[in-house]
Amino acid sequence: MEYVQTLEPGQFTMADLDALPEDGMRYELVDGTLLVTPAPLPIHQTAVLELGFRLRLVCPTDLQVFVAPLDFRPNGRRSLQPDVLVCRREDVGERAIERPLLLAVEILSPATRAKDLLLKRGLYEEAGVTSYWIFDPESVELTVLELSAGRYAGQALVRGDEVFEAKLPFSVRIVPSELVG
């Protein structure tokens, strides 16, 4: 069944979002505006799975690692789907996660670059997401941001075969080149 947009931009609700078909597209909601992203490219999916796998291997038992699509709903007007996320097990709801994430990761692609670098950075920051990682598979570069006094501050910029030893949300070793190779 095809979904036909009948609402004016800015008027979408969570109920409208929940009524959309599961058709391979990623639907996100920001203050009444529906954001639609096409299915990701293979290099994007490779990075998502590799990073999710590495995080899952060392994830403490009281935390949980997910890969998209899974909704993070910080309030009644926003629903975001990070490519990879880490949260407390106790924060996992039936349909979504509504409490601040410990880590949100976005893998850049031509279709999402501006949204991930600008819009989502601000939304995650405002929602109190502790750490925000941005991975660019084209330049094989990981940018690590962490909340400090309510604002994101750069913690690391790691390229190629360089090693990032994360402390948040838990100790894990990440080498950008291993996420795409």
Side-chain angles (χ1 to χ4, degrees):
M1 175 177 215
E2 185 175 315
Y3 176 79
V4 178
Q5 178 178 337
T6 58
L7 299 173
E8 293 293 320
Q11 300 303 310
F12 277 83
T13 66
M14 285 295 179
D16 298 321
L17 181 68
D18 291 340
L20 292 173
E22 294 185 25
D23 58 4
M25 300 295 278
R26 282 176 66 178
Y27 298 104
E28 298 175 289
L29 183 65
V30 176
D31 300 331
T33 300
L34 184 67
L35 306 176
V36 182
T37 306
L41 299 173
I43 192 170
H44 181 278
Q45 285 300 83
T46 298
V48 167
L49 290 174
E50 289 296 330
L51 184 56
F53 176 74
R54 282 166 172 70
L55 290 168
R56 179 65 187 102
L57 279 177
V58 296
C59 183
T61 58
D62 61 326
L63 305 181
Q64 198 158 2
V65 176
F66 290 99
V67 297
L70 179 68
D71 289 346
F72 165 51
R73 295 183 174 185
N75 63 42
R77 296 191 37 83
R78 294 184 181 159
S79 182
L80 306 169
Q81 293 185 356
D83 290 312
V84 180
L85 66 89
V86 176
C87 65
R88 293 173 190 84
R89 283 189 183 275
E90 65 193 42
D91 293 344
V92 179
E94 187 175 313
R95 293 188 60 99
I97 297 160
E98 296 177 355
R99 300 193 55 197
L101 303 175
L102 301 176
L103 172 64
V105 180
E106 295 293 352
I107 310 300
L108 298 181
S109 69
T112 66
R113 179 176 290 280
K115 180 174 70 169
D116 294 340
L117 291 173
L118 302 171
L119 177 64
K120 283 189 152 183
R121 176 185 171 145
L123 295 172
Y124 291 144
E125 183 179 75
E126 186 178 311
V129 174
T130 306
S131 296
Y132 181 38
W133 296 359
I134 304 161
F135 181 66
D136 187 339
E138 294 298 323
S139 63
V140 192
E141 182 175 274
L142 177 68
T143 301
V144 176
L145 305 169
E146 292 177 3
L147 273 184
S148 176
R151 305 287 300 176
Y152 279 134
Q155 297 300 309
L157 178 61
V158 190
R159 296 182 178 107
D161 293 329
E162 296 174 352
V163 177
F164 172 57
E165 297 283 349
K167 300 294 180 233
L168 295 175
F170 46 82
S171 293
V172 62
R173 180 181 183 272
I174 302 296
V175 178
S177 62
E178 294 176 356
L179 302 179
V180 292

